[in-house]
Amino acid sequence: SKISVLESLINKCDKVIIGGGMVFTFLKAMGKSTGTSLVEDDYLETAKEAIALAEEKGVKLILPNEIVVADAFAADANTQIVSSEEIPDGWMGLDNGPAATEMIKEELADCKTIIWNGPMGVFEMEAFAKGTFAICECLADLTANGCITIIGGGDSVAAVEKAGLAEKMSHISTGGGASLELLEGKVLPGVAALDDA
């Protein structure tokens, strides 16, 4: 799970942006209502520990302030945009709202290196793709201005490819799980074999 790599990222990064389904585990860990959104209850303590570690290390842990919610996990579901503090019962978060996307773009603007693993929403459905594609465009612009952008993971790669922006990123890794393990500091067998050669 991506949430388990957070401790390592917090120890290495100035900012960590939480997006996608992981958002709701963090919101619940903070005592917020998450409606019927995806929550990994097994990782609530991990999320609390990550929040505390970020605070201790002075790392900015960024969660979206606005969420696109739906009354069903379906492309034609009813939707509304709500504060991340006020997700209604019976509704699930499926994308970042426009204000959250703008906030995240502002946070990314001064970054020199960005590692992106995981979309902002269910980009496979048009109704929930705006947050992810806006970040794809932002990363392409930042790359053009000298930022190093590393896209790791199947879903993130699929998103930048679907947005037609893959060639505008610095590096694309199709080994999402392996990318996370490397960031976590684990030894990867293929890399270890190269080191031994």
Side-chain angles (χ1 to χ4, degrees):
S1 175
K2 293 174 187 173
I3 201 166
S4 59
V5 78
L6 283 175
E7 181 179 341
S8 179
L9 287 174
I10 289 167
N11 282 311
K12 293 178 174 112
C13 300
D14 299 316
K15 299 176 186 180
V16 176
I17 298 171
I18 307 295
M22 195 185 302
V23 165
F24 308 105
T25 301
F26 273 81
L27 291 176
K28 186 171 182 180
M30 295 163 63
K32 311 285 184 211
S33 168
T34 57
T36 56
S37 304
L38 173 69
V39 172
E40 293 183 85
D41 286 317
D42 293 353
Y43 288 99
L44 289 172
E45 282 307 310
T46 305
K48 289 176 186 175
E49 290 166 12
I51 292 165
L53 180 63
E55 194 171 304
E56 174 191 322
K57 299 280 185 182
V59 172
K60 204 165 187 184
L61 194 62
I62 301 156
L63 290 157
N65 56 0
E66 186 180 72
I67 306 287
V68 176
V69 295
D71 61 357
F73 187 81
D76 61 350
N78 294 309
T79 64
Q80 59 179 314
I81 297 169
V82 300
S83 162
S84 59
E85 309 256 328
E86 299 171 359
I87 297 173
D89 289 342
W91 292 74
M92 65 184 72
L94 297 177
D95 194 11
N96 286 346
T101 298
E102 288 309 309
M103 177 202 51
I104 290 167
K105 286 165 60 176
E106 287 173 20
E107 292 289 351
L108 292 171
D110 64 348
C111 294
K112 294 183 178 27
T113 304
I114 299 169
I115 299 169
W116 187 26
N117 189 293
M120 297 292 120
V122 185
F123 73 94
E124 299 88 348
M125 293 186 217
E126 189 177 334
F128 313 112
K130 288 184 180 90
T132 297
F133 290 150
I135 298 306
C136 290
E137 291 167 13
C138 175
L139 295 182
D141 291 344
L142 291 170
T143 306
N145 289 318
C147 179
I148 296 169
T149 51
I150 301 165
I151 313 303
D155 288 341
S156 301
V157 173
V160 295
E161 287 176 349
K162 190 171 180 180
L165 297 169
E167 72 285 348
K168 298 196 179 213
M169 304 300 161
S170 303
H171 177 75
I172 293 185
S173 168
T174 54
S179 299
L180 289 175
E181 287 181 10
L182 184 65
L183 289 171
E184 200 172 351
K186 292 183 178 176
V187 175
L188 302 181
V191 174
L194 291 172
D195 285 343
D196 294 341

